[in-house]
Amino acid sequence: MEWPTYLDEYEKLLIRMSTPRVMIDNAGCSNATRLTIDSARKHGILLEAIQVLTDLNLSIKKAYICSDGRWFMDVFHVTDLNGNKLTDESVLGCIEQSLETVHYGRSKSSDGLTALELTGTDRVGLLSEVFAVLSNSQCNIVDAKVWTHNGRIASLIYLNDDDSGFPIEDLEKLEMLEGMLRNVLKGDNDIRSAKTSVSLAVTHTERRLHQMMFADRDYDRMPLIRTRDDAPVVSVQNYLEKDYSVVNVHCKDRNKLLFDVVCTLTDMEYVVFHATVDTSGDRASLEFFIRHMDGTPISSEAEKQRVILCLAAAIERRASQGVRLELCTADRKSLLADVTRTFRENGLNVTRAEISTSMGTARNVFYVTDAVGNPADSKIIESVRQKIGLSNLKVKELPLIYHGKGEREEVGAGGAMIWSIGSMVKRNLYNLGLIKSCS
């Protein structure tokens, strides 16, 4: 390991002592790769480990988290996004190295880019107006993520100057951009809640989106468009004998579910001491034993209800609504403004978007519904594809309403019973009185 020059020998020793130890086992489980992480416990390290796994596009099928004093052990059963065990040695080496260096953080670098944070009331065509303002201001969008939930929108946009390719550092131009975008976000009836800002700190994009929507209190707002019927079920009870609060979550399984839940608990300043995660078919069951950072459990009914609302919102924000459209084409000036204007002109609302460019190629994903949140008409989708380019804009995923019952593809298939290390952790939880059975 190459040490930063500013570290002295004592600091290097502390890092060696706190560096997580990682074991990778492909023999003990028939349909998943088992990762075991031992580390000194500190606030946020569980989230950092899960963040590494999700950033590496791994799907967490089962997990056991157990901490004792100043130490913790996490066991994850993971696959690739296609449900396969991990067998490539280079991939396994990358996972091990990444997990052993979580104390450095794993944020995506935004060097050379200016970051804009936007929150406001969602409406049909809003994204088109935002991208039009940036295009007309000679800004090139390199990377962006957009989430919507309960009628609110949050976006983190990375951009540079269209002509020079350098970050936008002109304070007058930045203030002008913030003002124009704030007016767009306000619309006609959102006077006080629209926010725009230039982000200075490098942070994990999806964690930051959670923080932005949490600060915007999307969790206690009524949706302006129809939401999903398959809502998560969250419950909170106090386990007074052990001074824990027990959080249970039951919902549809999907990629990055565990990250979204642990991210929210961490940012609400709760500490996860023990947890179990299990997926079966397309369902997920998660249980967490938590305390405040001062070691106390949740103290009031109002706080319990707030945790329930916040976790349900964290799960729903990323839940895909509408038709998934993938745009892959040569990048050009005003591309995003033109594409999203076509969506708007055809009455399509963008519920989520992931924008990226690399080597002159734009690779963008949009989830679209009609104006009130219903699945978009297939004829409208085909008309939009004709205008943008059939070979450029492709339908990659349809809502279940388009499929017959026999065509539904189940995700998050669970594995066989977990033995050895996984069973040992479960037995520890049983011995502590934290679960009813160790079978």
Side-chain angles (χ1 to χ4, degrees):
M1 176 185 293
E2 294 185 6
W3 300 101
T5 56
Y6 58 83
L7 294 178
D8 59 28
E9 292 303 316
Y10 177 70
E11 290 173 317
K12 293 177 184 178
L13 175 62
L14 291 179
I15 290 176
R16 288 192 189 98
M17 292 174 61
S18 61
T19 296
R21 291 192 291 273
V22 179
M23 292 185 293
I24 300 177
D25 175 22
N26 254 325
C29 185
S30 62
N31 57 0
T33 299
R34 183 161 55 224
L35 306 177
T36 304
I37 309 171
D38 292 307
S39 175
R41 183 166 60 82
K42 69 171 185 177
H43 184 60
I45 194 169
L46 172 61
L47 174 60
E48 291 173 5
I50 295 171
Q51 181 176 300
V52 166
L53 298 179
T54 55
D55 286 349
L56 291 171
N57 289 322
L58 302 180
S59 179
I60 300 173
K61 302 304 183 184
K62 295 180 184 289
Y64 295 93
I65 287 90
C66 185
S67 62
D68 183 14
R70 297 184 179 183
W71 204 257
F72 83 95
M73 180 171 70
D74 298 341
V75 179
F76 299 100
H77 283 232
V78 302
T79 67
D80 63 20
L81 296 184
N82 294 319
N84 301 316
K85 294 176 68 170
L86 311 175
T87 57
D88 188 312
E89 290 298 329
S90 62
V91 172
L92 295 175
C94 178
I95 293 171
E96 185 173 5
Q97 182 179 15
S98 298
L99 288 172
E100 288 178 346
T101 56
V102 292
H103 55 272
Y104 287 125
R106 306 293 300 177
S107 297
K108 179 179 178 180
S109 173
S110 61
D111 291 345
L113 301 173
T114 300
L116 289 179
E117 297 181 354
L118 312 175
T119 56
T121 298
D122 187 30
R123 65 177 186 274
V124 175
L126 175 60
L127 204 56
S128 168
E129 296 175 42
V130 168
F131 289 155
V133 166
L134 295 175
S135 177
N136 293 336
S137 302
Q138 286 71 54
C139 297
N140 176 47
I141 300 172
V142 178
D143 193 270
K145 275 190 170 63
V146 180
W147 286 359
T148 64
H149 179 245
N150 279 358
R152 306 300 295 171
I153 186 171
S155 179
L156 193 54
I157 303 174
Y158 295 96
L159 45 83
N160 55 24
D161 183 81
D162 198 31
D163 295 325
S164 68
F166 292 115
I168 302 171
E169 298 177 340
D170 186 325
L171 294 181
E172 290 186 4
K173 182 172 183 176
L174 290 174
E175 289 179 2
M176 177 193 69
L177 281 175
E178 287 187 59
M180 289 191 297
L181 292 172
R182 194 176 300 115
N183 288 333
V184 168
L185 290 164
K186 284 180 180 178
D188 297 327
N189 56 5
D190 194 9
I191 305 302
R192 290 176 291 183
S193 60
K195 296 180 181 178
T196 63
S197 64
V198 177
S199 176
L200 300 178
V202 176
T203 186
H204 188 270
T205 300
E206 294 175 347
R207 183 176 184 185
R208 183 59 189 148
L209 285 171
H210 276 302
Q211 292 171 338
M212 291 163 62
M213 298 205 97
F214 176 78
D216 192 50
R217 298 181 67 88
D218 70 314
Y219 54 86
D220 64 359
R221 297 176 183 264
M222 293 298 293
L224 299 182
I225 61 176
R226 197 184 75 174
T227 56
R228 300 169 60 92
D229 296 328
D230 189 15
V233 177
V234 184
S235 64
V236 180
Q237 295 179 328
N238 276 349
Y239 184 20
L240 298 179
E241 184 180 346
K242 298 291 184 180
D243 285 333
Y244 288 114
S245 292
V246 184
V247 178
N248 281 280
V249 179
H250 301 279
C251 63
K252 183 177 180 180
D253 187 31
R254 60 163 174 79
N255 193 33
K256 300 188 178 182
L257 173 63
L258 183 58
F259 169 83
D260 293 336
V261 174
V262 174
C263 177
T264 301
L265 289 172
T266 303
D267 285 337
M268 293 179 73
E269 298 191 338
Y270 294 108
V271 179
V272 176
F273 285 85
H274 307 278
T276 59
V277 177
D278 187 26
T279 63
S280 179
D282 67 344
R283 306 300 298 176
S285 178
L286 303 87
E287 185 173 52
F288 302 89
F289 292 79
I290 66 171
R291 293 174 181 157
H292 291 108
M293 293 185 66
D294 63 3
T296 60
I298 292 173
S299 58
S300 68
E301 187 62 31
E303 186 182 357
K304 287 183 182 179
Q305 292 305 312
R306 184 168 181 263
V307 170
I308 291 171
L309 288 174
C310 291
L311 291 182
I315 295 168
E316 292 172 344
R317 286 169 195 151
R318 198 197 294 271
S320 302
Q321 296 186 49
V323 179
R324 176 186 170 110
L325 301 176
E326 292 187 3
L327 176 69
C328 182
T329 187
D331 192 28
R332 61 172 173 81
K333 181 178 174 61
S334 301
L335 173 65
L336 286 170
D338 293 343
V339 169
T340 51
R341 184 182 68 248
T342 303
F343 291 161
R344 181 192 67 199
E345 291 171 347
N346 287 270
L348 297 180
N349 186 51
V350 179
T351 63
R352 189 156 65 92
E354 298 179 6
I355 311 299
S356 63
T357 56
S358 177
M359 305 295 291
T361 299
R363 300 182 185 276
N364 306 328
V365 176
F366 304 95
Y367 289 86
V368 299
T369 66
D370 69 8
V372 295
N374 295 316
D377 188 283
S378 59
K379 294 181 180 178
I380 294 177
I381 294 294
E382 286 308 302
S383 174
V384 168
R385 291 186 63 218
Q386 290 280 356
K387 294 172 182 177
I388 295 175
L390 291 174
S391 62
N392 296 333
L393 186 66
K394 297 183 179 180
V395 178
K396 288 295 184 178
E397 185 176 307
L398 293 171
L400 292 178
I401 192 172
Y402 285 121
H403 298 292
K405 293 182 179 179
E407 296 176 303
R408 178 172 177 175
E409 179 182 359
E410 292 191 341
V411 295
M417 186 67 70
I418 300 174
W419 300 104
S420 62
I421 296 176
S423 295
M424 180 183 69
V425 176
K426 198 169 184 178
R427 183 169 293 278
N428 286 340
L429 296 180
Y430 172 77
N431 291 335
L432 288 169
L434 300 179
I435 59 177
K436 296 179 180 179
S437 173
C438 64
S439 59

